[in-house]
Amino acid sequence: MNQKQRLKYSLLLSVVVLAIMFGLTGLEKSGHLTEETFKYIAIAVAIVVVVINGYMRRKVRS
């Protein structure tokens, strides 16, 4: 993976995370999701993103 590919995947990942958070917010506002569940899912999404970003960073060839 080169730097350009990593940039593309990072942008795609950020758009996916944004979509997930907007979806979770909508579910919370409609009453299908409690605030506590929202927090746990948001933390899990953040951890997954950090792991994926670290994996991509290691795969970049200098």
Side-chain angles (χ1 to χ4, degrees):
M1 175 179 291
N2 60 26
Q3 195 68 27
K4 188 175 180 182
Q5 287 174 323
R6 180 174 177 250
L7 179 63
K8 286 180 185 178
Y9 285 124
S10 293
L11 289 173
L12 177 64
L13 189 61
S14 63
V15 169
V16 168
V17 168
L18 190 62
I20 289 171
M21 296 311 288
F22 277 135
L24 288 174
T25 302
L27 285 173
E28 185 185 11
K29 285 184 180 179
S30 66
H32 294 294
L33 202 62
T34 64
E35 185 178 348
E36 187 174 350
T37 307
F38 176 85
K39 287 179 188 177
Y40 288 135
I41 295 172
I43 290 169
V45 168
I47 290 171
V48 168
V49 167
V50 168
V51 169
I52 291 172
N53 199 17
Y55 176 76
M56 285 193 306
R57 183 172 294 215
R58 290 182 184 269
K59 287 292 183 181
V60 170
R61 295 186 188 111
S62 298

